[in-house]
Amino acid sequence: MNTPYYKYDMELLERTLQAIKDETAKYGFTEHYAIKANANPTILKKIASYGFGADCVSGGEVLAAVKAGFNPDKIVFAGVGKADWEIETAIDNNIFCFNVESLPEADVINQIARAKGKRVNVEIRVNPNVDAHTHAKITTGLNENKFGINLPLLPSVIEHIKNLNNLNLIGLHFHIGSQITDLTVFDNLCNTVLGLLADLKAQGITFTNINFGGGLGVDYQNPDVTPIPPFKEYFAVFSNYTKGLKGVSIHFELGRAVVAQCGTLVSKVLYVKEGESKKFVILDAGFTDLIRPAMYDAYHKIENITSKEPAKKYDVVGPICESSDVFGKDRMLNATHRGDIIEIRTAGAYGEVMASQYNLRKLPEAVFANNTL
Ligand code: LLP
């Protein structure tokens, strides 16, 4: 196998999926997988085989979900800019529901559904103005973000959608951000949602579906200590708040927490370069293979799995002609030489799926360890 490539531990993925199933089963919650985190067909098939639903944000993802075996009855479709063909594709595939993010979008879905002689389920994506305390570029639930309907506008949007004959308004959808490690953020979300539901109920408006989105973070610092995210604690928060809601089905759409830890980017050292003030380890992987450090200043653990020599300090960089092509600065790695294999950990989410061919590079391939499917 030529480096760089992604290596997926399918046994860890299975244990992660089972851990989620165990917790959601306790409370009767429905879990969807956010396909955007990793859409590799082998990964999708495995997740579908555990009975997960799918959360899609494009027509391409809807098609990939159906192809991988996700039940259309459990496919939801979100996103601020759904093109007409994407809406048609979703309706033709009889997905469970659209998460609608604006009034004009609701009107277009209604028109397309009417033309097809169908009535489709929608949830309104609400922007609850709850701070996710995460990186600004992956925060979605603040008033200043482009996502969802702001709270003050919600009653009029509900009124409008209820008058659209080809839409069936079944619920509300929330997603406030990603890589959330402080679980009290989810308490804040629940408090806001429950307050909102009580206000709406007082106005005679009730729903059968609430979707709390995704966002649970993973341990990028210590992947071997926390290979499986704290699902027990996470779902317990929601159970505390929602157990009083009768006749409401509760949905989640986790992405990162499902796949991050099972993926590793495997790369080879091309050169070790001694600068005046720094030593650089130059890899054959670049930000075209894993863009998270360049794009979000994200930390990924980096290990030299070849060398056993005492550690030295390096900047670990890629070959791309951009100064931002850096995987980590001042990292301690076992003394490193040309040809050593370097692993970049916790790369299963938003890694392979965000790869590009900038500089006309090849896309990374994938290998699967312990795959039983
Ligand atoms: N639902 C919706 C509507 C979303 O927008 C997202 C992620 C998810 C669910 C899944 O969130 P998760 O459980 O993965 O946090 N590329 C960035 C992350 C972008 C997240 C976008 N939306 C990164 O590499 O950190």
Side-chain angles (χ1 to χ4, degrees), residues 117-136:
K118 290 198 175 171
R119 193 152 191 263
V120 299
N121 288 338
V122 299
E123 294 174 343
I124 299 172
R125 174 155 180 191
V126 179
N127 183 331
N129 198 27
V130 172
D131 194 342
H133 296 299
T134 183
H135 192 287

Side-chain angles (χ1 to χ4, degrees), residues 34 36-37 55 57 78-79 101 125 137-138 140 147 173-175 177-180 213-216 220 253-257 292 296 349-350 354:
K36 64 177 80 62
D55 160 51
V57 288
E101 307 224 9
R125 174 155 180 191
K137 285 194 180 157
I138 51 175
T140 47
F147 299 98
H173 171 229
F174 305 84
H175 173 78
S178 199
Q179 185 51 19
I180 298 168
L216 178 62
Y220 282 98
E253 43 191 38
L254 293 170
R256 186 191 313 269
R292 303 195 67 261
Y296 315 109
Y350 307 108
M354 291 179 81

Side-chain angles (χ1 to χ4, degrees), residues 184-362:
T184 62
V185 165
F186 295 113
D187 283 283
N188 298 342
L189 172 63
C190 287
N191 272 317
T192 303
V193 172
L194 279 241
L196 175 63
L197 291 180
D199 286 354
L200 291 171
K201 194 171 181 186
Q203 298 167 43
I205 301 167
T206 55
F207 298 105
T208 53
N209 278 69
I210 298 296
N211 182 333
F212 283 104
L216 178 62
V218 300
D219 190 346
Y220 282 98
Q221 258 71 25
N222 309 296
D224 295 319
V225 178
T226 328
I228 299 186
F231 295 118
K232 189 175 195 298
E233 293 75 8
Y234 170 76
F235 287 113
V237 170
F238 293 93
S239 156
N240 277 340
Y241 289 89
T242 59
K243 59 185 169 224
L245 296 175
K246 296 288 169 251
V248 181
S249 95
I250 307 289
H251 298 246
F252 295 87
E253 43 191 38
L254 293 170
R256 186 191 313 269
V258 183
V259 288
Q261 296 294 21
C262 76
T264 298
L265 177 60
V266 181
S267 169
K268 198 182 274 178
V269 177
L270 294 176
Y271 305 104
V272 178
K273 170 167 156 175
E274 303 267 346
E276 201 163 70
S277 59
K278 294 222 172 212
K279 286 195 229 335
F280 297 97
V281 166
I282 303 171
L283 302 181
D284 60 3
F287 72 46
T288 50
D289 306 294
L290 177 66
I291 203 169
R292 303 195 67 261
M295 194 159 176
Y296 315 109
D297 301 317
Y299 176 93
H300 285 260
K301 190 169 180 182
I302 304 175
E303 294 168 316
N304 182 330
I305 62 159
T306 307
S307 167
K308 303 280 177 265
E309 297 170 34
K312 290 186 181 165
K313 199 188 272 180
Y314 301 97
D315 278 14
V316 182
V317 304
I320 294 160
C321 300
E322 300 247 6
S323 323
S324 61
D325 190 24
V326 176
F327 288 112
K329 291 197 166 158
D330 296 327
R331 295 297 187 89
M332 296 305 292
L333 290 185
N334 293 354
T336 297
H337 308 282
R338 172 171 165 82
D340 286 357
I341 296 293
I342 302 291
E343 292 197 344
I344 305 182
R345 305 287 306 276
T346 320
Y350 307 108
E352 188 186 352
V353 81
M354 291 179 81
S356 77
Q357 291 200 288
Y358 181 49
N359 284 190
L360 296 189
R361 286 168 55 78
K362 283 190 191 146

